[in-house]
mmCIF file of all heavy atoms in Angstrom:
data_model
loop_
_atom_site.group_PDB
_atom_site.id
_atom_site.type_symbol
_atom_site.label_atom_id
_atom_site.label_comp_id
_atom_site.label_asym_id
_atom_site.label_seq_id
_atom_site.Cartn_x
_atom_site.Cartn_y
_atom_site.Cartn_z
ATOM 1 N N ILE A 138 -12.181 9.615 0.023
ATOM 2 C CA ILE A 138 -12.535 8.199 -0.008
ATOM 3 C C ILE A 138 -11.314 7.386 0.432
ATOM 4 O O ILE A 138 -10.182 7.873 0.403
ATOM 5 C CB ILE A 138 -13.001 7.737 -1.405
ATOM 6 C CG1 ILE A 138 -11.915 7.987 -2.445
ATOM 7 C CG2 ILE A 138 -14.288 8.414 -1.803
ATOM 8 C CD1 ILE A 138 -12.258 7.417 -3.809
ATOM 9 N N MET A 139 -11.566 6.151 0.820
ATOM 10 C CA MET A 139 -10.482 5.288 1.278
ATOM 11 C C MET A 139 -9.883 4.552 0.087
ATOM 12 O O MET A 139 -10.602 4.106 -0.814
ATOM 13 C CB MET A 139 -11.008 4.279 2.296
ATOM 14 C CG MET A 139 -9.925 3.465 2.946
ATOM 15 S SD MET A 139 -10.520 2.515 4.363
ATOM 16 C CE MET A 139 -11.771 1.502 3.616
ATOM 17 N N ALA A 140 -8.551 4.446 0.063
ATOM 18 C CA ALA A 140 -7.846 3.749 -1.012
ATOM 19 C C ALA A 140 -6.757 2.866 -0.420
ATOM 20 O O ALA A 140 -6.220 3.148 0.650
ATOM 21 C CB ALA A 140 -7.225 4.752 -1.983
ATOM 22 N N VAL A 141 -6.431 1.823 -1.124
ATOM 23 C CA VAL A 141 -5.359 0.922 -0.722
ATOM 24 C C VAL A 141 -4.048 1.438 -1.309
ATOM 25 O O VAL A 141 -3.974 1.777 -2.489
ATOM 26 C CB VAL A 141 -5.627 -0.509 -1.235
ATOM 27 C CG1 VAL A 141 -4.444 -1.414 -0.942
ATOM 28 C CG2 VAL A 141 -6.891 -1.067 -0.612
ATOM 29 N N GLU A 142 -3.029 1.517 -0.465
ATOM 30 C CA GLU A 142 -1.679 1.893 -0.913
ATOM 31 C C GLU A 142 -0.832 0.637 -0.891
ATOM 32 O O GLU A 142 -0.795 -0.067 0.107
ATOM 33 C CB GLU A 142 -1.081 2.955 0.006
ATOM 34 C CG GLU A 142 0.224 3.551 -0.477
ATOM 35 C CD GLU A 142 1.444 2.674 -0.265
ATOM 36 O OE1 GLU A 142 1.524 1.992 0.766
ATOM 37 O OE2 GLU A 142 2.308 2.645 -1.147
ATOM 38 N N TYR A 143 -0.187 0.367 -2.002
ATOM 39 C CA TYR A 143 0.588 -0.871 -2.075
ATOM 40 C C TYR A 143 1.832 -0.637 -2.925
ATOM 41 O O TYR A 143 1.784 -0.663 -4.148
ATOM 42 C CB TYR A 143 -0.258 -1.980 -2.679
ATOM 43 C CG TYR A 143 0.406 -3.320 -2.735
ATOM 44 C CD1 TYR A 143 0.788 -3.974 -1.578
ATOM 45 C CD2 TYR A 143 0.667 -3.940 -3.948
ATOM 46 C CE1 TYR A 143 1.400 -5.195 -1.620
ATOM 47 C CE2 TYR A 143 1.284 -5.172 -4.001
ATOM 48 C CZ TYR A 143 1.643 -5.799 -2.834
ATOM 49 O OH TYR A 143 2.260 -7.021 -2.881
ATOM 50 N N GLY A 144 2.913 -0.313 -2.278
ATOM 51 C CA GLY A 144 4.184 -0.225 -2.969
ATOM 52 C C GLY A 144 4.565 1.123 -3.539
ATOM 53 O O GLY A 144 5.640 1.255 -4.112
ATOM 54 N N THR A 145 3.735 2.154 -3.393
ATOM 55 C CA THR A 145 4.098 3.456 -3.929
ATOM 56 C C THR A 145 4.854 4.310 -2.918
ATOM 57 O O THR A 145 5.564 5.220 -3.301
ATOM 58 C CB THR A 145 2.855 4.247 -4.385
ATOM 59 O OG1 THR A 145 2.044 4.534 -3.252
ATOM 60 C CG2 THR A 145 2.059 3.488 -5.431
ATOM 61 N N GLY A 146 4.652 4.052 -1.637
ATOM 62 C CA GLY A 146 5.267 4.871 -0.600
ATOM 63 C C GLY A 146 4.515 6.165 -0.330
ATOM 64 O O GLY A 146 5.038 7.047 0.349
ATOM 65 N N ALA A 147 3.304 6.308 -0.855
ATOM 66 C CA ALA A 147 2.513 7.524 -0.643
ATOM 67 C C ALA A 147 2.129 7.663 0.823
ATOM 68 O O ALA A 147 1.982 6.676 1.548
ATOM 69 C CB ALA A 147 1.263 7.493 -1.508
ATOM 70 N N GLY A 148 1.966 8.912 1.244
ATOM 71 C CA GLY A 148 1.524 9.205 2.596
ATOM 72 C C GLY A 148 0.827 10.545 2.623
ATOM 73 O O GLY A 148 0.697 11.203 1.579
ATOM 74 N N PRO A 149 0.354 10.976 3.783
ATOM 75 C CA PRO A 149 -0.337 12.263 3.867
ATOM 76 C C PRO A 149 0.481 13.385 3.217
ATOM 77 O O PRO A 149 1.680 13.522 3.461
ATOM 78 C CB PRO A 149 -0.500 12.465 5.375
ATOM 79 C CG PRO A 149 -0.600 11.056 5.891
ATOM 80 C CD PRO A 149 0.382 10.273 5.054
ATOM 81 N N GLY A 150 -0.205 14.151 2.365
ATOM 82 C CA GLY A 150 0.431 15.249 1.627
ATOM 83 C C GLY A 150 0.861 14.872 0.223
ATOM 84 O O GLY A 150 1.113 15.749 -0.598
ATOM 85 N N SER A 151 0.957 13.589 -0.081
ATOM 86 C CA SER A 151 1.358 13.147 -1.420
ATOM 87 C C SER A 151 0.246 13.427 -2.424
ATOM 88 O O SER A 151 -0.927 13.306 -2.109
ATOM 89 C CB SER A 151 1.649 11.641 -1.447
ATOM 90 O OG SER A 151 2.726 11.299 -0.610
ATOM 91 N N ILE A 152 0.630 13.773 -3.659
ATOM 92 C CA ILE A 152 -0.314 13.882 -4.765
ATOM 93 C C ILE A 152 -0.190 12.573 -5.540
ATOM 94 O O ILE A 152 0.916 12.207 -5.962
ATOM 95 C CB ILE A 152 -0.001 15.088 -5.667
ATOM 96 C CG1 ILE A 152 0.030 16.371 -4.834
ATOM 97 C CG2 ILE A 152 -1.017 15.182 -6.799
ATOM 98 C CD1 ILE A 152 -1.282 16.715 -4.138
ATOM 99 N N VAL A 153 -1.311 11.885 -5.700
ATOM 100 C CA VAL A 153 -1.269 10.516 -6.215
ATOM 101 C C VAL A 153 -2.246 10.310 -7.368
ATOM 102 O O VAL A 153 -3.208 11.064 -7.535
ATOM 103 C CB VAL A 153 -1.587 9.500 -5.094
ATOM 104 C CG1 VAL A 153 -0.492 9.521 -4.043
ATOM 105 C CG2 VAL A 153 -2.951 9.774 -4.477
ATOM 106 N N LEU A 154 -1.970 9.276 -8.155
ATOM 107 C CA LEU A 154 -2.872 8.818 -9.209
ATOM 108 C C LEU A 154 -3.656 7.642 -8.639
ATOM 109 O O LEU A 154 -3.074 6.688 -8.107
ATOM 110 C CB LEU A 154 -2.076 8.386 -10.437
ATOM 111 C CG LEU A 154 -2.882 7.941 -11.649
ATOM 112 C CD1 LEU A 154 -3.756 9.086 -12.162
ATOM 113 C CD2 LEU A 154 -1.940 7.461 -12.751
ATOM 114 N N VAL A 155 -4.985 7.730 -8.724
ATOM 115 C CA VAL A 155 -5.862 6.746 -8.082
ATOM 116 C C VAL A 155 -6.705 6.036 -9.134
ATOM 117 O O VAL A 155 -7.301 6.677 -9.995
ATOM 118 C CB VAL A 155 -6.787 7.444 -7.064
ATOM 119 C CG1 VAL A 155 -7.740 6.452 -6.418
ATOM 120 C CG2 VAL A 155 -5.965 8.173 -6.015
ATOM 121 N N MET A 156 -6.749 4.716 -9.039
ATOM 122 C CA MET A 156 -7.640 3.915 -9.877
ATOM 123 C C MET A 156 -8.878 3.584 -9.050
ATOM 124 O O MET A 156 -8.758 3.093 -7.926
ATOM 125 C CB MET A 156 -6.944 2.642 -10.331
ATOM 126 C CG MET A 156 -7.832 1.761 -11.201
ATOM 127 S SD MET A 156 -6.992 0.301 -11.766
ATOM 128 C CE MET A 156 -5.690 1.013 -12.730
ATOM 129 N N ASP A 157 -10.051 3.878 -9.601
ATOM 130 C CA ASP A 157 -11.298 3.688 -8.851
ATOM 131 C C ASP A 157 -12.232 2.772 -9.635
ATOM 132 O O ASP A 157 -13.318 3.168 -10.043
ATOM 133 C CB ASP A 157 -11.946 5.053 -8.590
ATOM 134 C CG ASP A 157 -13.100 4.959 -7.614
ATOM 135 O OD1 ASP A 157 -13.067 4.093 -6.727
ATOM 136 O OD2 ASP A 157 -14.040 5.761 -7.745
ATOM 137 N N GLU A 158 -11.802 1.549 -9.836
ATOM 138 C CA GLU A 158 -12.605 0.535 -10.540
ATOM 139 C C GLU A 158 -12.165 -0.807 -9.998
ATOM 140 O O GLU A 158 -10.983 -1.150 -10.064
ATOM 141 C CB GLU A 158 -12.373 0.652 -12.049
ATOM 142 C CG GLU A 158 -13.360 -0.132 -12.910
ATOM 143 C CD GLU A 158 -13.064 -1.621 -12.915
ATOM 144 O OE1 GLU A 158 -11.881 -1.990 -13.054
ATOM 145 O OE2 GLU A 158 -14.003 -2.399 -12.759
ATOM 146 N N GLY A 159 -13.091 -1.559 -9.435
ATOM 147 C CA GLY A 159 -12.759 -2.764 -8.695
ATOM 148 C C GLY A 159 -11.949 -3.804 -9.446
ATOM 149 O O GLY A 159 -10.951 -4.303 -8.931
ATOM 150 N N GLY A 160 -12.368 -4.153 -10.663
ATOM 151 C CA GLY A 160 -11.645 -5.180 -11.406
ATOM 152 C C GLY A 160 -10.213 -4.791 -11.691
ATOM 153 O O GLY A 160 -9.282 -5.596 -11.540
#
Side-chain angles (χ1 to χ4, degrees):
I138 58 174
M139 187 169 59
V141 174
E142 188 283 323
Y143 183 63
T145 65
S151 297
I152 304 299
V153 294
L154 183 62
V155 178
M156 180 178 298
D157 190 31
E158 192 284 315

